[in-house]
Amino acid sequence: MTRRRAGEHWRHRRLTPAIYDFAAEHEPLARLGGRVLWGADVRALYDSFAEVGALPPGSAVLDVPCGGGVAFRGVPAAAGLRYVAADLSPPMLGRARAEAGRRGLDAAFARVSVDRLPFRAGTFDLCVTYNGLHCLPHPAAAVAELARVLRPGGTLRGSAVVTGAGVRQDALVAYLRRRGHFGDPGSAADLHAWLEAAGLRTAAMTRTGALACFSAVKPD
Ligand SMILES: C[S@@+](CC[C@H](N)C(=O)[O-])C[C@H]1O[C@@H](n2cnc3c(N)ncnc32)[C@H](O)[C@@H]1O
């Protein structure tokens, strides 16, 4: 089997990202996929999207990688947030724009790599990074970059596939790494270490199957 460079898949492909996003946008399908593939109950993940909409109007939010905009469901059109949705993949950004249009969400879109964000330090009140860190070759660098653009007192929230949940899930991670879908995912303990090394204080870390959900705060 040909080994592809980590991240290449997302940069160039259209079909599997579209299939992934279709499932992500249909929660019952995502629940089934989460259970079958990762032994995970993704309901907490979908619940956490709603917390974005609870921010005060005027808050600045960075959603990267936004994919097709699955987190937009948590943001009422009238929330008055300054919402930036960013991703490496033009097709995914196209899907996210269409999703924002359907939801009436006023968002800015940016094609960026999460480990090189074109934003000044301290720009965002909240950064969300759902289901993306495991796609990256250097997830710790991405966490550090997200921490940089967060304002003191701001929160980084997200989820990622992690290793160590079981033999079957680890074999699937290894397969997806060989195919270039995944980068270099770590364990939940690695994820915790990346957050702390970036100067964040981990406020919550829960694991369901191979899916870890976390939130971390940048100290004032
Ligand atoms: C599994 S999807 C998750 C998307 C979305 N957050 C969700 O939960 O459905 C992974 C996303 O990461 C994006 N991606 C991969 N490498 C990236 C990078 N270096 N910078 C930004 N986005 C990246 C892909 O284009 C894809 O949209």
Side-chain angles (χ1 to χ4, degrees), residues 3-13 17 87-90 111 113 115 132-138 176-184:
R3 178 182 276 270
R4 297 194 174 92
R5 273 202 311 143
E8 284 303 290
H9 185 92
W10 296 100
R11 197 184 291 266
H12 298 301
R13 297 300 174 95
D87 202 284
L88 189 65
S89 154
R111 186 179 182 214
S113 184
D115 49 13
L133 292 175
H134 53 261
C135 299
L136 307 173
H138 304 294
L176 292 170
R177 288 191 67 186
R178 286 196 300 276
R179 299 293 300 165
H181 295 252
F182 276 18
D184 191 10

Short mmCIF file of all heavy atoms in Angstrom, two decimals, residues 3-13 17 87-90 111 113 115 132-138 176-184:
data_model
loop_
_atom_site.label_atom_id
_atom_site.label_comp_id
_atom_site.label_asym_id
_atom_site.label_seq_id
_atom_site.Cartn_x
_atom_site.Cartn_y
_atom_site.Cartn_z
N ARG A 3 2.20 4.73 1.02
CA ARG A 3 2.08 5.61 2.18
C ARG A 3 2.03 7.05 1.70
O ARG A 3 2.90 7.49 0.97
CB ARG A 3 3.28 5.40 3.11
CG ARG A 3 3.24 6.31 4.33
CD ARG A 3 4.46 6.09 5.17
NE ARG A 3 4.30 4.98 6.07
CZ ARG A 3 3.81 5.08 7.30
NH1 ARG A 3 3.41 6.24 7.75
NH2 ARG A 3 3.71 4.04 8.07
N ARG A 4 1.00 7.79 2.07
CA ARG A 4 0.89 9.18 1.66
C ARG A 4 1.33 10.07 2.81
O ARG A 4 1.20 9.71 3.97
CB ARG A 4 -0.56 9.51 1.30
CG ARG A 4 -1.05 8.72 0.11
CD ARG A 4 -2.35 9.32 -0.41
NE ARG A 4 -2.76 8.64 -1.63
CZ ARG A 4 -3.58 7.59 -1.64
NH1 ARG A 4 -4.07 7.11 -0.53
NH2 ARG A 4 -3.90 7.01 -2.77
N ARG A 5 1.84 11.27 2.44
CA ARG A 5 2.26 12.20 3.49
C ARG A 5 1.05 12.65 4.30
O ARG A 5 -0.02 12.89 3.74
CB ARG A 5 2.93 13.43 2.86
CG ARG A 5 4.41 13.19 2.65
CD ARG A 5 5.16 14.48 2.56
NE ARG A 5 4.57 15.43 1.63
CZ ARG A 5 4.55 16.74 1.85
NH1 ARG A 5 5.06 17.25 2.93
NH2 ARG A 5 4.04 17.55 0.95
N ALA A 6 1.25 12.75 5.62
CA ALA A 6 0.15 13.16 6.50
C ALA A 6 -0.41 14.49 6.04
O ALA A 6 0.33 15.43 5.75
CB ALA A 6 0.67 13.29 7.93
N GLY A 7 -1.72 14.59 5.97
CA GLY A 7 -2.37 15.85 5.59
C GLY A 7 -2.61 15.97 4.10
O GLY A 7 -3.46 16.73 3.67
N GLU A 8 -1.85 15.23 3.30
CA GLU A 8 -1.99 15.33 1.84
C GLU A 8 -3.42 15.02 1.40
O GLU A 8 -3.96 15.64 0.50
CB GLU A 8 -1.03 14.35 1.14
CG GLU A 8 0.40 14.81 1.15
CD GLU A 8 0.55 16.16 0.49
OE1 GLU A 8 0.37 16.24 -0.73
OE2 GLU A 8 0.80 17.15 1.19
N HIS A 9 -3.97 14.01 2.04
CA HIS A 9 -5.29 13.58 1.67
C HIS A 9 -6.30 14.74 1.72
O HIS A 9 -7.06 14.96 0.79
CB HIS A 9 -5.74 12.47 2.62
CG HIS A 9 -7.04 11.88 2.22
ND1 HIS A 9 -7.13 10.80 1.41
CD2 HIS A 9 -8.30 12.29 2.47
CE1 HIS A 9 -8.40 10.53 1.20
NE2 HIS A 9 -9.14 11.41 1.83
N TRP A 10 -6.25 15.49 2.81
CA TRP A 10 -7.24 16.56 3.01
C TRP A 10 -6.98 17.71 2.06
O TRP A 10 -7.91 18.40 1.63
CB TRP A 10 -7.21 17.04 4.44
CG TRP A 10 -7.61 15.97 5.40
CD1 TRP A 10 -6.77 15.20 6.15
CD2 TRP A 10 -8.93 15.51 5.67
NE1 TRP A 10 -7.51 14.29 6.88
CE2 TRP A 10 -8.83 14.47 6.61
CE3 TRP A 10 -10.20 15.87 5.22
CZ2 TRP A 10 -9.95 13.80 7.10
CZ3 TRP A 10 -11.31 15.21 5.70
CH2 TRP A 10 -11.17 14.18 6.63
N ARG A 11 -5.71 17.93 1.74
CA ARG A 11 -5.36 19.07 0.89
C ARG A 11 -5.89 18.88 -0.54
O ARG A 11 -6.32 19.84 -1.17
CB ARG A 11 -3.84 19.18 0.84
CG ARG A 11 -3.31 20.50 0.36
CD ARG A 11 -1.79 20.45 0.28
NE ARG A 11 -1.15 20.38 1.57
CZ ARG A 11 -0.71 21.42 2.25
NH1 ARG A 11 -0.83 22.62 1.75
NH2 ARG A 11 -0.14 21.27 3.43
N HIS A 12 -5.88 17.64 -1.02
CA HIS A 12 -6.14 17.43 -2.44
C HIS A 12 -7.45 16.70 -2.77
O HIS A 12 -7.93 16.82 -3.88
CB HIS A 12 -4.99 16.64 -3.07
CG HIS A 12 -3.69 17.36 -2.98
ND1 HIS A 12 -3.49 18.60 -3.53
CD2 HIS A 12 -2.52 17.04 -2.37
CE1 HIS A 12 -2.26 19.01 -3.30
NE2 HIS A 12 -1.65 18.09 -2.58
N ARG A 13 -7.94 15.90 -1.84
CA ARG A 13 -9.07 15.05 -2.20
C ARG A 13 -10.42 15.75 -2.01
O ARG A 13 -10.52 16.69 -1.24
CB ARG A 13 -9.05 13.77 -1.35
CG ARG A 13 -7.82 12.91 -1.58
CD ARG A 13 -7.77 12.50 -3.04
NE ARG A 13 -6.54 11.78 -3.33
CZ ARG A 13 -6.43 10.47 -3.33
NH1 ARG A 13 -7.47 9.72 -3.05
NH2 ARG A 13 -5.27 9.91 -3.60
N PRO A 17 -13.51 13.56 1.91
CA PRO A 17 -13.94 14.67 2.76
C PRO A 17 -15.45 14.93 2.64
O PRO A 17 -16.12 15.21 3.65
CB PRO A 17 -13.12 15.86 2.25
CG PRO A 17 -11.88 15.24 1.72
CD PRO A 17 -12.32 13.93 1.11
N ASP A 87 -9.91 26.43 7.27
CA ASP A 87 -9.57 25.05 6.93
C ASP A 87 -8.53 25.09 5.81
O ASP A 87 -8.39 26.09 5.10
CB ASP A 87 -10.83 24.29 6.45
CG ASP A 87 -10.70 22.78 6.58
OD1 ASP A 87 -10.00 22.16 5.74
OD2 ASP A 87 -11.29 22.20 7.52
N LEU A 88 -7.83 23.96 5.67
CA LEU A 88 -6.83 23.85 4.62
C LEU A 88 -7.45 23.52 3.26
O LEU A 88 -6.87 23.80 2.21
CB LEU A 88 -5.86 22.72 5.02
CG LEU A 88 -4.60 22.50 4.23
CD1 LEU A 88 -3.67 23.70 4.37
CD2 LEU A 88 -3.89 21.24 4.72
N SER A 89 -8.62 22.90 3.29
CA SER A 89 -9.19 22.30 2.08
C SER A 89 -10.19 23.22 1.40
O SER A 89 -11.23 23.55 1.99
CB SER A 89 -9.88 20.98 2.48
OG SER A 89 -10.90 20.66 1.59
N PRO A 90 -9.93 23.64 0.15
CA PRO A 90 -10.92 24.47 -0.54
C PRO A 90 -12.30 23.81 -0.66
O PRO A 90 -13.32 24.49 -0.44
CB PRO A 90 -10.28 24.72 -1.92
CG PRO A 90 -8.81 24.59 -1.67
CD PRO A 90 -8.68 23.50 -0.62
N ARG A 111 -8.51 30.21 4.19
CA ARG A 111 -7.78 28.98 3.90
C ARG A 111 -6.43 29.07 4.61
O ARG A 111 -5.56 29.86 4.19
CB ARG A 111 -7.61 28.80 2.39
CG ARG A 111 -6.97 27.45 2.12
CD ARG A 111 -6.77 27.13 0.67
NE ARG A 111 -6.20 25.79 0.58
CZ ARG A 111 -5.34 25.40 -0.32
NH1 ARG A 111 -4.96 26.24 -1.27
NH2 ARG A 111 -4.86 24.18 -0.30
N SER A 113 -3.41 26.83 7.31
CA SER A 113 -2.99 25.63 8.01
C SER A 113 -3.00 25.96 9.50
O SER A 113 -2.49 27.01 9.91
CB SER A 113 -1.60 25.19 7.57
OG SER A 113 -1.27 23.97 8.21
N ASP A 115 -1.34 25.05 11.88
CA ASP A 115 -0.06 25.25 12.57
C ASP A 115 0.66 26.53 12.13
O ASP A 115 1.77 26.82 12.59
CB ASP A 115 0.85 24.02 12.41
CG ASP A 115 0.97 23.57 10.98
OD1 ASP A 115 0.55 24.32 10.08
OD2 ASP A 115 1.47 22.45 10.75
N GLY A 132 -9.78 17.45 14.32
CA GLY A 132 -8.74 17.81 13.36
C GLY A 132 -7.33 17.45 13.80
O GLY A 132 -6.49 17.15 12.95
N LEU A 133 -7.06 17.48 15.10
CA LEU A 133 -5.66 17.32 15.54
C LEU A 133 -5.07 15.98 15.08
O LEU A 133 -3.88 15.91 14.75
CB LEU A 133 -5.55 17.45 17.07
CG LEU A 133 -5.85 18.84 17.63
CD1 LEU A 133 -5.82 18.82 19.16
CD2 LEU A 133 -4.83 19.87 17.10
N HIS A 134 -5.90 14.95 15.02
CA HIS A 134 -5.38 13.63 14.61
C HIS A 134 -5.02 13.59 13.12
O HIS A 134 -4.38 12.64 12.67
CB HIS A 134 -6.37 12.52 14.96
CG HIS A 134 -7.74 12.76 14.42
ND1 HIS A 134 -8.77 13.27 15.18
CD2 HIS A 134 -8.25 12.58 13.19
CE1 HIS A 134 -9.85 13.39 14.45
NE2 HIS A 134 -9.56 12.99 13.22
N CYS A 135 -5.45 14.60 12.37
CA CYS A 135 -5.12 14.64 10.93
C CYS A 135 -3.74 15.27 10.68
O CYS A 135 -3.28 15.28 9.54
CB CYS A 135 -6.17 15.45 10.16
SG CYS A 135 -7.82 14.78 10.28
N LEU A 136 -3.12 15.79 11.73
CA LEU A 136 -1.93 16.61 11.55
C LEU A 136 -0.65 15.85 11.85
O LEU A 136 -0.61 15.05 12.78
CB LEU A 136 -1.99 17.83 12.47
CG LEU A 136 -3.28 18.66 12.37
CD1 LEU A 136 -3.29 19.72 13.45
CD2 LEU A 136 -3.40 19.28 10.99
N PRO A 137 0.42 16.14 11.10
CA PRO A 137 1.70 15.49 11.40
C PRO A 137 2.32 15.99 12.70
O PRO A 137 3.06 15.25 13.35
CB PRO A 137 2.57 15.85 10.20
CG PRO A 137 1.92 17.01 9.54
CD PRO A 137 0.46 16.95 9.88
N HIS A 138 2.00 17.24 13.08
CA HIS A 138 2.59 17.81 14.30
C HIS A 138 1.49 18.48 15.14
O HIS A 138 1.41 19.72 15.21
CB HIS A 138 3.68 18.83 13.94
CG HIS A 138 4.74 18.28 13.06
ND1 HIS A 138 5.60 17.28 13.48
CD2 HIS A 138 5.06 18.54 11.77
CE1 HIS A 138 6.41 16.97 12.50
NE2 HIS A 138 6.11 17.72 11.44
N LEU A 176 -5.32 4.44 8.80
CA LEU A 176 -5.62 5.77 8.30
C LEU A 176 -4.36 6.64 8.20
O LEU A 176 -4.26 7.52 7.36
CB LEU A 176 -6.69 6.43 9.17
CG LEU A 176 -8.07 5.76 9.06
CD1 LEU A 176 -9.04 6.28 10.11
CD2 LEU A 176 -8.68 5.97 7.66
N ARG A 177 -3.39 6.34 9.05
CA ARG A 177 -2.09 7.03 8.92
C ARG A 177 -1.40 6.61 7.62
O ARG A 177 -0.88 7.45 6.88
CB ARG A 177 -1.19 6.68 10.10
CG ARG A 177 -1.60 7.32 11.40
CD ARG A 177 -0.53 7.16 12.45
NE ARG A 177 0.65 7.92 12.10
CZ ARG A 177 1.79 7.90 12.76
NH1 ARG A 177 1.91 7.14 13.82
NH2 ARG A 177 2.81 8.62 12.38
N ARG A 178 -1.42 5.32 7.34
CA ARG A 178 -0.77 4.84 6.10
C ARG A 178 -1.44 5.45 4.88
O ARG A 178 -0.80 5.73 3.87
CB ARG A 178 -0.83 3.31 6.02
CG ARG A 178 0.12 2.59 6.96
CD ARG A 178 0.29 1.13 6.56
NE ARG A 178 -0.95 0.37 6.58
CZ ARG A 178 -1.47 -0.21 7.66
NH1 ARG A 178 -0.86 -0.09 8.83
NH2 ARG A 178 -2.59 -0.89 7.59
N ARG A 179 -2.74 5.68 4.94
CA ARG A 179 -3.48 6.22 3.81
C ARG A 179 -3.38 7.74 3.70
O ARG A 179 -3.90 8.33 2.76
CB ARG A 179 -4.97 5.85 3.92
CG ARG A 179 -5.25 4.37 3.92
CD ARG A 179 -4.92 3.71 2.61
NE ARG A 179 -5.69 4.28 1.51
CZ ARG A 179 -5.41 4.11 0.22
NH1 ARG A 179 -4.33 3.43 -0.13
NH2 ARG A 179 -6.17 4.63 -0.71
N GLY A 180 -2.74 8.38 4.72
CA GLY A 180 -2.59 9.84 4.67
C GLY A 180 -3.80 10.61 5.19
O GLY A 180 -3.83 11.84 5.12
N HIS A 181 -4.81 9.90 5.71
CA HIS A 181 -5.96 10.59 6.29
C HIS A 181 -5.59 11.17 7.66
O HIS A 181 -6.09 12.22 8.05
CB HIS A 181 -7.14 9.63 6.51
CG HIS A 181 -7.71 9.05 5.26
ND1 HIS A 181 -8.92 9.42 4.76
CD2 HIS A 181 -7.23 8.12 4.40
CE1 HIS A 181 -9.18 8.74 3.65
NE2 HIS A 181 -8.17 7.95 3.41
N PHE A 182 -4.75 10.44 8.37
CA PHE A 182 -4.36 10.85 9.71
C PHE A 182 -2.90 11.25 9.71
O PHE A 182 -2.10 10.76 8.89
CB PHE A 182 -4.55 9.69 10.71
CG PHE A 182 -5.95 9.54 11.26
CD1 PHE A 182 -7.04 10.14 10.64
CD2 PHE A 182 -6.17 8.81 12.42
CE1 PHE A 182 -8.33 10.00 11.15
CE2 PHE A 182 -7.45 8.67 12.93
CZ PHE A 182 -8.53 9.25 12.31
N GLY A 183 -2.55 12.13 10.65
CA GLY A 183 -1.15 12.52 10.84
C GLY A 183 -0.52 11.66 11.91
O GLY A 183 -0.32 10.47 11.70
N ASP A 184 -0.27 12.26 13.06
CA ASP A 184 0.40 11.53 14.14
C ASP A 184 -0.39 11.71 15.43
O ASP A 184 0.03 12.45 16.33
CB ASP A 184 1.83 12.06 14.30
CG ASP A 184 2.66 11.17 15.21
OD1 ASP A 184 2.19 10.07 15.56
OD2 ASP A 184 3.76 11.59 15.59
#
